[in-house]
């Protein structure tokens, strides 16, 4: 049985998030706000699923005829291996953050990269032809690197402390993929922090992922960390007059893609942003 957290145990759940831990996920607030605004009467819940148990959660999704699941750490790769089909983005990354049901088939998607790019485009940040540096080479970085290339970035350079991880991520950007060093940050128009450096309650809390004096006017910085919403890196950008985006845009837009896939309806972006920022203000994280 998938035991829903935060909703009536007898409720018929249409969609939910699986993760471990999952209690502080922002996905229930964001997706429930979307379902409510769309007037669907759907319930979205969180399900704590132990590491290694993701395929059992998918069996329950089939049995309970749920429309969709969001997938967070540590299940993204296991779910990619357990669904019936993968979208091209999920297949390239071997990672799934959104499962949708198509009749009896479960389809795995990865909406992280599209969410990241759509959030920047919504803020008027150009991507086509732009030189991008992505700091970090983990799951989120890989999704961002692949999608930046798909959106026509001029170059996508991965900067990471493990060269083999940087190279493996750069491959995802095909002919525009490259690796670079932290000293090269000033050469790129878009600079992305895809490390957890700056995240609350970690060893990197209160710190920045690279030397902020390398930044200059004419660049744009995109933060993936959203807890806290205003990270030390964003404060350094403000101090230097460098425009920057918080991590909440990616968080909301990856859910916008998921809600569109599950419901076929156009998601209410403003209501979803309001739900995310309300939860963050209340001191929670995903
Ligand atoms: P991950 O798979 O663990 O990857 C983290 C990456 O950062 C790895 O390349 C790691 O290098 C590097 N790193 C970690 N600590 C570092 C340090 N002190 N200095 C330099 N590099 C460091 O994590 P992830 O899933 O990609 O997530 C990364 C961040 O993005 C997290 O803060 C997460 O909350 C955030 N995120 C945000 C969204 C959103 O919607 N806004 C979505 C997904 C993730 P090693 O491999 O060498 O350790």
């Amino acid at each position: 049985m998938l035991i829903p957290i935060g909703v009536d145990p007898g409720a018929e759940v249409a969609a939910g998030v699986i993760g471990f831990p999952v209690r502080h996920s922002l996905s229930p607030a964001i997706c429930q706000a979307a379902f409510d605004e769309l007037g669907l009467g759907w319930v979205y819940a969180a399900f704590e699923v132990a590491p290694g148990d993701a395929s059992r959660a998918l069996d329950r999704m089939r049995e309970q005829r749920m429309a969709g699941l969001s997938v967070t750490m540590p299940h993204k790769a296991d779910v990619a291996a357990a669904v019936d089909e993968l979208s091209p983005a999920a297949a390239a990354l071997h990672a799934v953050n959104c499962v949708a049901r198509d009749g009896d088939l479960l389809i795995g998607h990865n909406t992280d990269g599209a969410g990241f790019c759509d959030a920047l485009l919504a803020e008027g940040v150009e991507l086509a032809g732009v030189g991008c540096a992505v700091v970090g080479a983990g799951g989120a970085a890989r999704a961002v690197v692949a999608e930046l290339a798909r959106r026509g970035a001029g170059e996508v350079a991965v900067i990471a402390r493990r060269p083999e991880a940087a190279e493996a991520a750069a491959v995802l950007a095909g002919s525009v993929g490259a690796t670079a060093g932290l000293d090269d940050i000033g050469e790129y128009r878009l600079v992305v922090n895809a490390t957890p450096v700056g995240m609350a309650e970690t060893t990197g809390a209160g710190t920045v992922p690279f030397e902020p004096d390398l930044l200059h006017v004419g660049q744009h910085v995109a933060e993936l960390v959203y807890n806290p919403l205003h990270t030390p890196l964003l404060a350094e950008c403000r101090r230097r007059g460098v425009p920057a985006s918080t991590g909440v845009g990616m968080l909301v837009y990856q859910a916008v893609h998921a809600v569109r896939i599950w419901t076929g309806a156009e998601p209410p972006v403003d209501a979803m942003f309001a739900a995310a920022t309300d939860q963050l203000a209340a001191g929670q994280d995903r």
Side-chain angles (χ1 to χ4, degrees):
M1 229 355 229
L2 281 180
I3 312 287
I5 299 171
V7 300
D8 177 347
E12 193 177 321
V13 175
V17 54
I18 61 168
F20 191 90
V22 78
R23 230 161 242 286
H24 298 300
S25 170
L26 294 186
S27 293
I30 296 171
C31 293
Q32 192 63 57
F35 294 167
D36 292 349
E37 189 76 14
L38 289 169
L40 296 173
W42 285 18
V43 172
Y44 186 101
F47 301 101
E48 194 146 84
V49 173
D53 278 352
S55 67
R56 277 202 267 170
L58 294 188
D59 292 343
R60 297 300 177 195
M61 177 182 171
R62 288 180 210 273
E63 284 162 22
Q64 293 172 12
R65 309 287 297 167
M66 289 167 64
L69 280 179
S70 309
V71 181
T72 187
M73 298 295 283
H75 301 306
K76 291 183 178 188
D78 288 354
V79 169
V83 291
D84 300 306
E85 286 176 22
L86 291 171
S87 72
L93 298 165
H94 309 293
V96 162
N97 76 331
C98 164
V99 184
R101 200 163 51 76
D102 182 5
D104 289 331
L105 294 182
L106 297 186
I107 317 295
H109 299 262
N110 194 306
T111 67
D112 278 336
F116 171 80
C117 290
D118 285 352
L120 289 186
L121 291 171
E123 291 178 24
V125 179
E126 272 181 45
L127 300 177
V130 166
C132 310
V134 177
V135 184
R142 290 167 58 82
V144 165
V145 165
E147 190 66 21
L148 281 171
R150 239 176 256 125
R151 303 287 178 114
E155 181 182 346
V156 186
V158 182
I159 301 174
R161 57 188 179 184
R162 286 188 302 117
E164 68 280 12
E167 276 154 28
V171 165
L172 295 166
S175 61
V176 297
T179 60
L182 281 175
D183 292 346
D184 302 323
I185 290 255
E187 293 170 24
Y188 296 91
R189 231 166 74 213
L190 177 67
V191 179
V192 183
N193 175 32
T195 76
V197 177
M199 194 170 160
E201 293 166 26
T202 66
T203 50
T207 64
V208 291
F210 51 81
E211 172 51 60
D213 280 340
L214 293 168
L215 295 171
H216 56 82
V217 171
Q219 293 181 294
H220 187 97
V221 170
E223 179 65 279
L224 260 56
V225 174
Y226 53 83
N227 178 27
L229 189 53
H230 299 289
T231 62
L233 176 61
L234 296 180
E236 296 291 353
C237 292
R238 238 186 344 269
R239 221 165 276 143
R240 290 165 175 78
V242 174
S245 306
T246 72
V248 80
M250 175 178 178
L251 179 64
V252 169
Y253 273 94
Q254 58 81 27
V256 164
H257 277 273
V259 169
R260 192 182 288 126
I261 291 167
W262 297 331
T263 68
E266 197 42 40
V269 177
D270 290 347
M272 295 169 78
F273 259 105
T277 48
D278 284 355
Q279 288 289 300
L280 283 169
Q284 300 204 11
D285 64 6
R286 186 160 70 151

